[in-house]
């Protein structure tokens, strides 16, 4: 059997390792368009902030060590640009040379993850404005901070990554301002919970604007000008865009696989797509939420690892293991606070008209 995997990290690398454990004879090829296949995504802001001192500590495995240990053909800097479902082939572009070749498969796993949102605002492509998705982004931001020595940064978006970036930039001695469109930080949580975070940010002298959006960017006197929708202009040296992510499902969509309302790939309980020979895992899929049954995406490494192992089992032994979904347990450190959530927030239950009880406990 010949198994191809598109994308590394939590989904692809875990699936590859599991496939090898289950089938010692199979040919397994993992394609990754970046240079790294196994790294600690959650650690990237902490490397930028200097909490993680050694860059090598970000890596769980190198492509070489992983390939050798599990006898897997790891092809980095290789972007799959097309899936031909009729011929059961993928078209692969070698990023360094630009040359394109095809590779056939018996079974295929898509683990292309999610991509950061980067709205087409005027001036957004100027120097000093970054998104953070992978190791290359991390290196670019780190180098910018070391060479330019910015004194002020703006973080646009106050989700988990946005707040972790704010904390780490602050730790690196940079004054930070957060701009968030919603009325609160960490929008999946209830306001009552995040009010505590707002107070805590004030004690750290982190400035933040809520109910505020960025309308455009400009440049003046070698500073980035961030123009807000209330006409206020903030001058800064560095901007981190952390507006959110969406499933990177373009490849699957072009191949004619079924895509859901969230733009995630639709999979069944066995993590099989609308093509019986193609499975998908991770941030790129949508799956029914086990609490309410409606389909949603989950951008967390824990569920991705679980999905990867289940998909590998079903590929080798036939569909026998069911994935039950994720209730989305997430924990983040915000300066001296630990903020955690699981299941659905009261806010979400209210939107869905589901009766619920709110309880605040002081311990």
């Amino acid at each position: 059997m010949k198994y191809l995997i598109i994308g590394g990290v939590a989904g692809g690398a875990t699936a590859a390792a599991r496939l090898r454990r289950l089938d010692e004879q199979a040919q397994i090829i993992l394609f990754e368009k970046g240079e790294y296949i196994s790294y600690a995504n959650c650690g990237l802001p902490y490397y930028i902030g200097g909490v993680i001192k050694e860059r090598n500590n970000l890596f769980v495995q190198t492509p070489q060590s992983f390939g050798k240990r599990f006898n897997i053909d790891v092809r980095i800097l290789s972007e799959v640009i097309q899936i031909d479902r009729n011929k059961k082939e993928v078209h692969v572009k070698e990023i360094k040379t630009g040359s394109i070749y095809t590779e056939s498969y018996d079974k295929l796993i898509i683990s292309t993850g999610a991509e950061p949102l980067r709205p087409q605002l005027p001036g957004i492509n100027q120097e000093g404005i970054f998104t953070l998705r992978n190791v290359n982004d991390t290196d670019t931001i780190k180098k910018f901070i070391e060479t330019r020595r910015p004194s002020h940064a703006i973080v646009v978006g106050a989700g988990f990554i946005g707040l972790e970036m704010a904390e780490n930039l602050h730790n690196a001695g940079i004054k930070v301002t957060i701009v968030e469109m919603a009325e609160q930080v960490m929008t999946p949580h209830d306001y009552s919970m995040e009010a505590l975070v707002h107070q805590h940010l004030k004690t750290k002298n982190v400035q933040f604007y809520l109910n505020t959006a960025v309308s455009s960017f400009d440049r003046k006197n070698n500073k980035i000008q961030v123009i807000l929708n209330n006409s206020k202009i903030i001058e800064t040296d560095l901007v981190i865009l952390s507006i959110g992510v969406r499933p990177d499902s373009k490849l699957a969509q072009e191949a004619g696989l079924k895509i859901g309302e969230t733009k995630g790939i639709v999979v069944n309980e066995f993590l099989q797509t609308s093509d019986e020979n193609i499975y998908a895992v991770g941030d790129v899929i949508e799956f029914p939420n086990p609490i309410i049954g409606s389909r949603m995406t989950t951008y967390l490494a824990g569920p991705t690892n679980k999905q990867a192992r289940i998909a590998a089992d079903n590929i080798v032994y036939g569909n026998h293991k069911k994935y039950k979904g994720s209730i989305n347990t997430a924990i983040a450190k915000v300066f001296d606070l630990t903020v955690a959530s699981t299941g659905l927030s009261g806010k979400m239950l209210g939107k869905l008209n589901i009766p619920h009880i709110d309880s605040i406990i002081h311990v």
Side-chain angles (χ1 to χ4, degrees), residues 322-341:
K322 293 180 180 179
Y323 176 63
K324 294 175 183 171
S326 166
I327 60 169
N328 293 358
T329 301
I331 304 168
K333 176 180 171 291
V334 184
F335 290 93
D336 308 331
L337 291 180
T338 301
V339 185
S341 65

PDB file of all heavy atoms in Angstrom, residues 322-341:
ATOM      1  N   LYS A 322     -14.405   5.201  15.504  1.00  0.00           N
ATOM      2  CA  LYS A 322     -15.163   6.436  15.306  1.00  0.00           C
ATOM      3  C   LYS A 322     -14.543   7.584  16.097  1.00  0.00           C
ATOM      4  O   LYS A 322     -14.115   7.392  17.229  1.00  0.00           O
ATOM      5  CB  LYS A 322     -16.619   6.237  15.737  1.00  0.00           C
ATOM      6  CG  LYS A 322     -17.386   5.266  14.848  1.00  0.00           C
ATOM      7  CD  LYS A 322     -18.814   5.105  15.319  1.00  0.00           C
ATOM      8  CE  LYS A 322     -19.560   4.115  14.411  1.00  0.00           C
ATOM      9  NZ  LYS A 322     -20.957   3.925  14.865  1.00  0.00           N
ATOM     10  N   TYR A 323     -14.549   8.746  15.470  1.00  0.00           N
ATOM     11  CA  TYR A 323     -14.131   9.969  16.167  1.00  0.00           C
ATOM     12  C   TYR A 323     -15.391  10.634  16.717  1.00  0.00           C
ATOM     13  O   TYR A 323     -16.355  10.862  15.981  1.00  0.00           O
ATOM     14  CB  TYR A 323     -13.392  10.904  15.207  1.00  0.00           C
ATOM     15  CG  TYR A 323     -13.008  12.219  15.835  1.00  0.00           C
ATOM     16  CD1 TYR A 323     -12.128  12.258  16.912  1.00  0.00           C
ATOM     17  CD2 TYR A 323     -13.527  13.429  15.373  1.00  0.00           C
ATOM     18  CE1 TYR A 323     -11.781  13.459  17.513  1.00  0.00           C
ATOM     19  CE2 TYR A 323     -13.179  14.638  15.962  1.00  0.00           C
ATOM     20  CZ  TYR A 323     -12.307  14.638  17.034  1.00  0.00           C
ATOM     21  OH  TYR A 323     -11.971  15.831  17.628  1.00  0.00           O
ATOM     22  N   LYS A 324     -15.393  10.931  17.995  1.00  0.00           N
ATOM     23  CA  LYS A 324     -16.609  11.433  18.640  1.00  0.00           C
ATOM     24  C   LYS A 324     -16.685  12.954  18.708  1.00  0.00           C
ATOM     25  O   LYS A 324     -17.640  13.502  19.245  1.00  0.00           O
ATOM     26  CB  LYS A 324     -16.714  10.841  20.057  1.00  0.00           C
ATOM     27  CG  LYS A 324     -16.932   9.333  20.036  1.00  0.00           C
ATOM     28  CD  LYS A 324     -16.900   8.749  21.425  1.00  0.00           C
ATOM     29  CE  LYS A 324     -17.054   7.226  21.369  1.00  0.00           C
ATOM     30  NZ  LYS A 324     -16.810   6.615  22.680  1.00  0.00           N
ATOM     31  N   GLY A 325     -15.665  13.631  18.211  1.00  0.00           N
ATOM     32  CA  GLY A 325     -15.687  15.099  18.242  1.00  0.00           C
ATOM     33  C   GLY A 325     -14.949  15.648  19.447  1.00  0.00           C
ATOM     34  O   GLY A 325     -14.469  14.904  20.303  1.00  0.00           O
ATOM     35  N   SER A 326     -14.887  16.965  19.512  1.00  0.00           N
ATOM     36  CA  SER A 326     -14.142  17.631  20.578  1.00  0.00           C
ATOM     37  C   SER A 326     -15.023  18.682  21.239  1.00  0.00           C
ATOM     38  O   SER A 326     -15.740  19.414  20.557  1.00  0.00           O
ATOM     39  CB  SER A 326     -12.902  18.302  19.991  1.00  0.00           C
ATOM     40  OG  SER A 326     -12.352  19.207  20.918  1.00  0.00           O
ATOM     41  N   ILE A 327     -14.967  18.758  22.565  1.00  0.00           N
ATOM     42  CA  ILE A 327     -15.712  19.817  23.261  1.00  0.00           C
ATOM     43  C   ILE A 327     -14.838  21.058  23.469  1.00  0.00           C
ATOM     44  O   ILE A 327     -15.210  21.985  24.153  1.00  0.00           O
ATOM     45  CB  ILE A 327     -16.307  19.323  24.605  1.00  0.00           C
ATOM     46  CG1 ILE A 327     -15.216  18.829  25.562  1.00  0.00           C
ATOM     47  CG2 ILE A 327     -17.352  18.250  24.373  1.00  0.00           C
ATOM     48  CD1 ILE A 327     -15.723  18.598  26.975  1.00  0.00           C
ATOM     49  N   ASN A 328     -13.662  21.047  22.831  1.00  0.00           N
ATOM     50  CA  ASN A 328     -12.809  22.247  22.755  1.00  0.00           C
ATOM     51  C   ASN A 328     -12.345  22.761  24.117  1.00  0.00           C
ATOM     52  O   ASN A 328     -12.707  23.856  24.545  1.00  0.00           O
ATOM     53  CB  ASN A 328     -13.519  23.378  21.990  1.00  0.00           C
ATOM     54  CG  ASN A 328     -13.700  23.044  20.534  1.00  0.00           C
ATOM     55  OD1 ASN A 328     -13.270  21.984  20.083  1.00  0.00           O
ATOM     56  ND2 ASN A 328     -14.338  23.912  19.790  1.00  0.00           N
ATOM     57  N   THR A 329     -11.544  21.957  24.785  1.00  0.00           N
ATOM     58  CA  THR A 329     -10.918  22.401  26.029  1.00  0.00           C
ATOM     59  C   THR A 329      -9.660  23.188  25.668  1.00  0.00           C
ATOM     60  O   THR A 329      -8.802  22.691  24.952  1.00  0.00           O
ATOM     61  CB  THR A 329     -10.547  21.186  26.904  1.00  0.00           C
ATOM     62  OG1 THR A 329     -11.738  20.450  27.172  1.00  0.00           O
ATOM     63  CG2 THR A 329      -9.912  21.618  28.204  1.00  0.00           C
ATOM     64  N   ALA A 330      -9.576  24.415  26.147  1.00  0.00           N
ATOM     65  CA  ALA A 330      -8.442  25.276  25.801  1.00  0.00           C
ATOM     66  C   ALA A 330      -7.956  26.016  27.035  1.00  0.00           C
ATOM     67  O   ALA A 330      -8.758  26.486  27.839  1.00  0.00           O
ATOM     68  CB  ALA A 330      -8.858  26.267  24.722  1.00  0.00           C
ATOM     69  N   ILE A 331      -6.643  26.089  27.180  1.00  0.00           N
ATOM     70  CA  ILE A 331      -6.045  26.763  28.340  1.00  0.00           C
ATOM     71  C   ILE A 331      -4.957  27.710  27.834  1.00  0.00           C
ATOM     72  O   ILE A 331      -4.146  27.337  26.989  1.00  0.00           O
ATOM     73  CB  ILE A 331      -5.426  25.731  29.319  1.00  0.00           C
ATOM     74  CG1 ILE A 331      -6.484  24.712  29.751  1.00  0.00           C
ATOM     75  CG2 ILE A 331      -4.831  26.428  30.540  1.00  0.00           C
ATOM     76  CD1 ILE A 331      -5.929  23.508  30.478  1.00  0.00           C
ATOM     77  N   ALA A 332      -4.964  28.930  28.342  1.00  0.00           N
ATOM     78  CA  ALA A 332      -3.943  29.900  27.939  1.00  0.00           C
ATOM     79  C   ALA A 332      -3.453  30.661  29.155  1.00  0.00           C
ATOM     80  O   ALA A 332      -4.205  30.908  30.101  1.00  0.00           O
ATOM     81  CB  ALA A 332      -4.504  30.870  26.906  1.00  0.00           C
ATOM     82  N   LYS A 333      -2.183  31.045  29.087  1.00  0.00           N
ATOM     83  CA  LYS A 333      -1.604  31.880  30.140  1.00  0.00           C
ATOM     84  C   LYS A 333      -1.665  33.325  29.655  1.00  0.00           C
ATOM     85  O   LYS A 333      -1.247  33.622  28.528  1.00  0.00           O
ATOM     86  CB  LYS A 333      -0.157  31.427  30.367  1.00  0.00           C
ATOM     87  CG  LYS A 333       0.612  32.267  31.372  1.00  0.00           C
ATOM     88  CD  LYS A 333       2.026  31.704  31.508  1.00  0.00           C
ATOM     89  CE  LYS A 333       2.910  32.618  32.334  1.00  0.00           C
ATOM     90  NZ  LYS A 333       3.236  33.889  31.681  1.00  0.00           N
ATOM     91  N   VAL A 334      -2.211  34.196  30.480  1.00  0.00           N
ATOM     92  CA  VAL A 334      -2.222  35.629  30.163  1.00  0.00           C
ATOM     93  C   VAL A 334      -1.515  36.344  31.312  1.00  0.00           C
ATOM     94  O   VAL A 334      -2.100  36.565  32.374  1.00  0.00           O
ATOM     95  CB  VAL A 334      -3.662  36.160  29.996  1.00  0.00           C
ATOM     96  CG1 VAL A 334      -3.629  37.621  29.566  1.00  0.00           C
ATOM     97  CG2 VAL A 334      -4.436  35.336  28.984  1.00  0.00           C
ATOM     98  N   PHE A 335      -0.228  36.644  31.109  1.00  0.00           N
ATOM     99  CA  PHE A 335       0.617  37.191  32.174  1.00  0.00           C
ATOM    100  C   PHE A 335       0.538  36.272  33.404  1.00  0.00           C
ATOM    101  O   PHE A 335       0.951  35.120  33.317  1.00  0.00           O
ATOM    102  CB  PHE A 335       0.239  38.647  32.488  1.00  0.00           C
ATOM    103  CG  PHE A 335       0.614  39.599  31.378  1.00  0.00           C
ATOM    104  CD1 PHE A 335      -0.305  39.925  30.378  1.00  0.00           C
ATOM    105  CD2 PHE A 335       1.872  40.164  31.315  1.00  0.00           C
ATOM    106  CE1 PHE A 335       0.043  40.781  29.343  1.00  0.00           C
ATOM    107  CE2 PHE A 335       2.229  41.026  30.286  1.00  0.00           C
ATOM    108  CZ  PHE A 335       1.306  41.326  29.311  1.00  0.00           C
ATOM    109  N   ASP A 336      -0.026  36.757  34.531  1.00  0.00           N
ATOM    110  CA  ASP A 336      -0.029  35.930  35.753  1.00  0.00           C
ATOM    111  C   ASP A 336      -1.318  35.132  35.914  1.00  0.00           C
ATOM    112  O   ASP A 336      -1.518  34.482  36.932  1.00  0.00           O
ATOM    113  CB  ASP A 336       0.159  36.823  36.992  1.00  0.00           C
ATOM    114  CG  ASP A 336       1.375  37.721  36.856  1.00  0.00           C
ATOM    115  OD1 ASP A 336       2.329  37.311  36.161  1.00  0.00           O
ATOM    116  OD2 ASP A 336       1.372  38.837  37.405  1.00  0.00           O
ATOM    117  N   LEU A 337      -2.214  35.214  34.952  1.00  0.00           N
ATOM    118  CA  LEU A 337      -3.476  34.466  35.020  1.00  0.00           C
ATOM    119  C   LEU A 337      -3.408  33.231  34.136  1.00  0.00           C
ATOM    120  O   LEU A 337      -2.718  33.223  33.121  1.00  0.00           O
ATOM    121  CB  LEU A 337      -4.644  35.322  34.525  1.00  0.00           C
ATOM    122  CG  LEU A 337      -5.097  36.515  35.350  1.00  0.00           C
ATOM    123  CD1 LEU A 337      -6.272  37.191  34.652  1.00  0.00           C
ATOM    124  CD2 LEU A 337      -5.509  36.085  36.750  1.00  0.00           C
ATOM    125  N   THR A 338      -4.145  32.204  34.527  1.00  0.00           N
ATOM    126  CA  THR A 338      -4.379  31.069  33.632  1.00  0.00           C
ATOM    127  C   THR A 338      -5.863  31.078  33.301  1.00  0.00           C
ATOM    128  O   THR A 338      -6.705  31.100  34.198  1.00  0.00           O
ATOM    129  CB  THR A 338      -4.010  29.740  34.310  1.00  0.00           C
ATOM    130  OG1 THR A 338      -2.633  29.804  34.686  1.00  0.00           O
ATOM    131  CG2 THR A 338      -4.211  28.576  33.364  1.00  0.00           C
ATOM    132  N   VAL A 339      -6.169  31.144  32.016  1.00  0.00           N
ATOM    133  CA  VAL A 339      -7.562  31.234  31.572  1.00  0.00           C
ATOM    134  C   VAL A 339      -7.900  29.955  30.819  1.00  0.00           C
ATOM    135  O   VAL A 339      -7.218  29.594  29.862  1.00  0.00           O
ATOM    136  CB  VAL A 339      -7.763  32.464  30.656  1.00  0.00           C
ATOM    137  CG1 VAL A 339      -9.223  32.629  30.291  1.00  0.00           C
ATOM    138  CG2 VAL A 339      -7.243  33.727  31.321  1.00  0.00           C
ATOM    139  N   ALA A 340      -8.949  29.272  31.278  1.00  0.00           N
ATOM    140  CA  ALA A 340      -9.290  27.984  30.664  1.00  0.00           C
ATOM    141  C   ALA A 340     -10.782  27.908  30.392  1.00  0.00           C
ATOM    142  O   ALA A 340     -11.593  28.548  31.065  1.00  0.00           O
ATOM    143  CB  ALA A 340      -8.869  26.842  31.587  1.00  0.00           C
ATOM    144  N   SER A 341     -11.127  27.125  29.396  1.00  0.00           N
ATOM    145  CA  SER A 341     -12.549  26.914  29.092  1.00  0.00           C
ATOM    146  C   SER A 341     -12.729  25.516  28.522  1.00  0.00           C
ATOM    147  O   SER A 341     -11.801  24.943  27.953  1.00  0.00           O
ATOM    148  CB  SER A 341     -13.041  27.949  28.082  1.00  0.00           C
ATOM    149  OG  SER A 341     -12.373  27.770  26.848  1.00  0.00           O
TER     150      SER A 341
END
